[in-house]
Amino acid sequence: MEDRGFDLEERVDALEESTLKRSLSPVDRVAERGYFAPPPGSELPVLSADEALVFAANNYLGLTDDQRVQDAARQATATVGTGAGASRLVTGDTMVHQDLERLLAETKGTERALSFSSGYAANVGTITALEPDVIFSDEYNHASIVDGCRLTAAETVVYDHCDATSLRSKLAARAESAAASDESWLIVTDSVFSMDGTVAPLTEICEAAEEFGAWLMVDEAHATGLYANGGGVVQAEGLEDRVQIQMGTLSKALASQGGYVAGSDELIECLVNDARSFVFSTGLAPPAAAAASEALHIARHSDVRERLWQNVAHLRDGLETMGFDVLGDSQILPVLVGDRDDAVALADGLRIRDIVAPAIRPPTVPEGTNRIRVAPLATHDQDDIVTCLEAFKDAGEDVGLL
């Protein structure tokens, strides 16, 4: 009988030959440091005897092991339960969900908010529920945005990265088409781009959107909790009334799991009824919702954000002083290497020195832009930052980059 299955062994071999195969490396805890195990495959993981400093996580505020956040999750587990048990439209809606969404809406300056089981689900569900005719998307937008665009019947127009002039020209060209007057338009952009550390020019994008009557959706996954009053770039620039859809995640600075969308009452009602990734998914686990609520409260009412930005400034200054090319304008510090082998060698050199900061290679980033993505946490102390810088210096010299 003819085999109509899949040659997965060949796929894995091809990934290994191209040095693009990625593996899982378990760690004992999610924090600024931990003990890692080499990829175990089907065997039990064996943790290393050496503790490593983590400079690659999205746990920007370091709140995953904060006692207050953990206590909030424990209390929700004891009071509400470990899981939602059903779609929120059936029996899975709880007071914990409502509390989280009220706090998110307050922080984001919107009428309401809605939590999803992941940021991926929030993006895909929102874009498909809106059913736009045309989507204008930044060329470096996250994969969940790209997939949301693919799952609609919309025509997707890609504009140059963080380039409001390019966006405006695409909008103008589309406006000249015969069907434009009857079309619904959606502009979608990340605010902070996870692999480049760049920040979208949101004020200029708002101006372009308003000129052409388009709606704007901003993905604040890597910004939520880090800017003004625990909000994102939208809040830092005072654009709450000009951005129709604010999306974000609970799994990065807010130290939990899940995603959210904030906007008008009508938007949330539409998503509750039409976002398939919300309707047909079990609700966000109550402990995750409670943890995110507490983390957001801490982000808003403590000095944790200031500690993060101090570490970012210290690390960026040190890396640039050595001669490294550091991209971006945010808490994400991509150290541009260029050559793939050099980037892998630098990452290996860092790992030998107990610094976890993996190489980022194509297809995640464009060819010739291989890099080390560095992300300090608020909970790294000054000795940790110095240790990281010393490791970069020694490894960079060994590889011949300095």
Side-chain angles (χ1 to χ4, degrees):
M1 183 174 64
E2 187 174 357
D3 184 359
R4 302 186 187 279
F6 307 91
D7 191 345
L8 301 184
E9 184 177 356
E10 182 179 344
R11 289 192 198 179
V12 173
D13 289 344
L15 287 170
E16 288 180 339
E17 290 174 9
S18 61
T19 68
L20 292 177
K21 182 174 178 288
R22 292 172 284 191
S23 301
L24 300 175
S25 183
V27 64
D28 69 320
R29 59 196 280 257
V30 179
E32 70 278 358
R33 64 189 74 236
Y35 294 92
F36 285 80
S42 60
E43 304 299 323
L44 288 174
V46 179
L47 295 172
S48 169
D50 297 319
E51 189 176 55
L53 285 168
V54 178
F55 279 88
N58 298 330
N59 177 30
Y60 301 121
L61 298 180
L63 295 176
T64 51
D65 64 345
D66 185 282
Q67 189 67 49
R68 295 163 294 181
V69 175
Q70 293 181 355
D71 286 347
R74 291 189 189 97
Q75 183 62 42
T77 299
T79 305
V80 182
T82 58
S87 166
R88 294 205 26 218
L89 288 171
V90 183
T91 61
D93 192 25
T94 72
M95 296 300 290
V96 178
H97 294 96
Q98 296 291 327
D99 287 345
L100 169 63
E101 289 162 356
R102 175 194 56 77
L103 185 56
L104 285 167
E106 179 182 303
T107 302
K108 300 298 286 180
T110 61
E111 292 177 344
R112 288 178 64 185
L114 184 69
S115 60
F116 286 74
S117 57
S118 71
Y120 195 101
N123 267 333
V124 169
T126 300
I127 293 170
T128 54
L130 289 173
E131 296 183 309
D133 293 313
V134 186
I135 301 170
F136 298 85
S137 178
D138 187 290
E139 65 175 323
Y140 288 174
N141 272 342
H142 188 264
S144 57
I145 295 175
V146 174
D147 287 354
C149 295
R150 290 172 175 170
L151 288 170
T152 70
E155 178 180 345
T156 300
V157 178
V158 178
Y159 64 90
D160 295 342
H161 176 54
C162 281
D163 190 335
T165 301
S166 172
L167 169 62
R168 190 181 295 273
S169 69
K170 302 286 187 181
L171 292 165
R174 186 71 187 191
E176 294 177 356
S177 68
S181 60
D182 296 323
E183 293 175 336
S184 55
W185 291 4
L186 178 66
I187 301 168
V188 188
T189 182
D190 288 0
S191 60
V192 174
F193 288 81
S194 63
M195 291 299 139
D196 291 81
T198 44
V199 178
L202 291 186
T203 299
E204 296 174 28
I205 291 175
C206 283
E207 292 169 355
E210 291 160 359
E211 179 180 344
F212 290 92
W215 273 32
L216 176 58
M217 177 175 173
V218 177
D219 180 340
E220 297 254 65
H222 292 271
T224 297
L226 303 184
Y227 290 83
N229 195 34
V233 179
V234 171
Q235 283 61 54
E237 298 190 10
L239 301 174
E240 296 92 335
D241 295 333
R242 303 174 70 182
V243 176
Q244 287 80 11
I245 306 162
Q246 298 183 57
M247 175 270 171
T249 60
L250 313 175
S251 54
K252 298 176 178 64
L254 300 189
S256 185
Q257 191 75 29
Y260 70 87
V261 172
S264 66
D265 181 74
E266 294 78 12
L267 171 67
I268 301 307
E269 287 298 327
C270 171
L271 297 180
V272 166
N273 287 276
D274 295 336
R276 294 173 64 84
S277 60
F278 176 84
V279 174
F280 298 105
S281 288
T282 296
L284 182 67
S293 290
E294 182 62 24
L296 183 54
H297 176 80
I298 294 169
R300 297 181 70 186
H301 300 293
S302 75
D303 67 347
V304 66
R305 287 182 287 120
E306 287 74 15
R307 285 189 277 122
L308 170 66
W309 291 112
Q310 288 170 3
N311 284 345
V312 169
H314 185 178
L315 196 52
R316 177 184 286 277
D317 180 67
L319 289 167
E320 291 179 340
T321 299
M322 287 179 207
F324 284 110
D325 184 5
V326 183
L327 307 178
D329 314 289
S330 68
Q331 79 281 2
I332 299 165
L333 306 175
V335 177
L336 184 63
V337 178
D339 181 78
R340 178 186 299 180
D341 292 340
D342 285 348
V344 172
L346 180 58
D348 289 345
L350 293 171
R351 189 65 188 85
I352 290 170
R353 293 166 175 85
D354 294 325
I355 299 294
V356 178
I360 307 298
R361 298 162 289 167
T364 304
V365 295
E367 288 287 351
T369 67
N370 295 270
R371 65 199 64 180
I372 305 295
R373 180 188 183 274
V374 184
L377 308 185
T379 45
H380 283 128
D381 60 31
Q382 291 304 297
D383 288 343
D384 296 336
I385 302 298
V386 170
T387 299
C388 181
L389 289 171
E390 290 174 345
F392 262 97
K393 182 178 183 297
D394 293 342
E397 289 174 348
D398 286 352
V399 178
L401 297 174
L402 296 179

